[in-house]
């Protein structure tokens, strides 16, 4: 791919439309986590510091009914951004119309305006029209008409074709911002051209959520380590008793065929040798470490055991690229977080390896357990990260490849 990046655009004196991801959590009008706003600062700053005029677009939540337009206004986000960046940010409470047009055309160099939630265009006169979410071409053209250049820096929506990413990029000279660039380099790097050996660690709740990721990684990785809830479908497929552990009965054949495929491709597939088992799905209950050969009928495995942590740590040694998706156990409960912590530690200890986390809960686990700064890259996309790891083309990125 020959993606264009922000640094290659001459932004001086130009109106630059920047699609950011300000889809932040808000409770009662208060932003509870401003990580995404902070993450967009380098791109916005680059544009204004180089004499560009910034026109910001973002979505926030979904807009399916009129009430969502009150709930999901970007107004508080403009205030927050202004605080963080230390410059005025003029909020325009509309997504189109004369106020939008005159604000855009009268912007001074270094100025910033932010339009209202792009998804307000999804609901009009009592009907779901989905102009933003279904990439209405006229809407894309309209937004494009407000600026001279387009920068996409919203990775979280890159797997969806929307008017505010693909629609605008179809019309204007376009490039990827710094956040998107990092995702392309790291996650795209794993998919397209990983430095070997590549070790993938997969976990999380269900096999069914991760089929695409596993299949894609079987084609690329040297080793695949499997933990989390999905391990039990594999163990069961190997003929083991898994008690009441998470099982996807209808995925047993798939698990078998994935194991066969790994064998055929000479990819080492590594499963846990022990688990932390309890009789109930809760933190405050008795639990024990048990071999995967001895799980009792009334037990369920909620984490990988110490012998598995040691095994995984050994298998990670020498890796040059590690991609991790899916917690090893129910990390939200303290008693079942040790496997995930153990794997974080093993990854943190690797020298000279590029280490990447993909997936919303995995990123949350690394943050919560205090390992976030130990990884080369934590992908911020959730669904977009998974689709990217599956090797799918993300429309919001592909459109920048000219
Ligand atoms: P990601 O968002 O990183 O892709 P997933 O959504 O697939 O990850 O999985 C995360 C969830 O998997 C967590 O909520 C965790 O509690 C759950 N999980 C991990 N191990 C188990 C297990 N042994 N049994 C049940 N749930 C598990
Ligand atoms: Mg998840």
């Amino acid at each position: 791919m020959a993606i264009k990046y922000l640094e290659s655009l001459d932004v001086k004196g130009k109106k630059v439309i920047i699609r950011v991801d300000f889809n932040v959590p808000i409770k009662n009008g208060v932003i509870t986590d401003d990580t995404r706003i902070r993450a967009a600062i380098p791109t916005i700053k680059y544009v204004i510091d180089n004499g560009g005029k910034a026109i910001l677009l973002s979505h926030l939540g979904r807009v399916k009914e009129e009430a969502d337009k009150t709930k999901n206004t970007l107004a508080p986000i403009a205030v927050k951004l202004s605080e963080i960046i230390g410059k005025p940010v003029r909020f325009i409470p509309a997504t189109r119309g004369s106020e939008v047009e005159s604000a855009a055309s009268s912007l001074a160099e270094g100025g910033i305006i932010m339009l209202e939630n792009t998804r307000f265009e999804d609901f009009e006169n009592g009907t779901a029209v989905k102009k933003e979410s279904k990439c209405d071409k006229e809407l894309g053209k309209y937004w494009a008409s407000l600026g001279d250049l387009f920068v996409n820096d919203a990775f979280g929506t890159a797997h969806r074709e929307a008017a505010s990413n693909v629609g605008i990029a179809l019309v204007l000279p376009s490039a990827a911002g710094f956040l998107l660039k990092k995702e392309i380099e790291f996650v795209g790097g794993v998919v397209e051209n990983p430095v070997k050996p590549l070790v993938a660690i997969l976990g999380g709740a269900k096999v069914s959520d991760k089929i695409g990721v596993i299949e894609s990684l079987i084609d690329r990785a040297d080793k695949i380590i499997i933990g989390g809830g999905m391990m039990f479908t594999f163990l069961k497929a190997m003929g083991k008793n898994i008690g009441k552990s998470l099982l996807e009965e209808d995925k047993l054949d798939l698990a078998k065929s994935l194991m066969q495929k790994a064998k055929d491709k000479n990819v080492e597939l590594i499963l846990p040798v022990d688990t932390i088992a309890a009789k109930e799905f809760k933190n405050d209950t008795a639990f024990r470490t048990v071999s995967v050969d001895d799980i009792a009928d009334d037990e369920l495995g909620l984490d990988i055991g110490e012998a598995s942590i040691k095994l995984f740590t050994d298998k990670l040694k020498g890796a040059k690229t590690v991609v991790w998706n899916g917690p090893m156990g129910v990390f939200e409960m303290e008693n079942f977080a040790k496997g995930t912590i153990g794997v974080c530690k093993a990854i943190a200890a690797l020298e000279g390896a590029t280490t990447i986390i993909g997936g919303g809960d995995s990123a949350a686990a690394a943050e919560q357990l205090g390992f976030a700064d130990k990884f080369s890259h934590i992908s911020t996309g959730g669904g977009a990260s998974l689709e990217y790891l599956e090797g799918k083309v993300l429309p919001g990125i592909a459109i920048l490849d000219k």
Side-chain angles (χ1 to χ4, degrees), residues 20-133:
V20 287
D21 181 359
F22 285 166
N23 188 31
V24 297
I26 296 190
K27 262 197 193 125
N28 306 322
V30 179
I31 298 162
T32 54
D33 181 358
D34 62 10
T35 311
R36 286 186 165 167
I37 303 176
R38 293 181 186 279
I41 299 295
T43 291
I44 301 169
K45 256 186 99 34
Y46 180 92
V47 169
I48 57 173
D49 288 352
N50 285 287
K53 309 166 179 182
I55 302 170
L56 307 183
L57 288 178
S58 176
H59 76 285
L60 174 63
R62 294 215 169 85
V63 180
K64 290 182 183 164
E65 54 185 19
E66 205 54 44
D68 290 333
K69 294 195 176 176
T70 319
K71 200 174 82 192
N72 291 328
T73 172
L74 284 183
I77 296 175
V79 175
K80 190 77 184 179
L81 172 64
S82 175
E83 261 170 52
I84 295 174
I85 205 165
K87 301 237 154 131
V89 174
R90 183 172 167 207
F91 178 67
I92 316 294
T95 47
R96 61 167 102 196
S98 55
E99 197 185 350
V100 168
E101 289 150 30
S102 68
S105 62
S106 63
L107 250 177
E109 287 186 10
I112 308 170
I113 61 171
M114 187 193 290
L115 308 195
E116 186 53 283
N117 185 352
T118 55
R119 288 191 182 161
F120 278 25
E121 292 285 345
D122 281 349
F123 193 85
E124 223 173 63
N125 305 322
T127 7
V129 288
K130 298 207 168 170
K131 285 190 176 163
E132 156 72 336
S133 297

Side-chain angles (χ1 to χ4, degrees), residues 134-147:
K134 290 255 166 83
C135 195
D136 180 85
K137 294 290 172 332
E138 290 308 313
L139 179 59
K141 264 190 215 164
Y142 173 76
W143 279 331
S145 75
L146 302 171

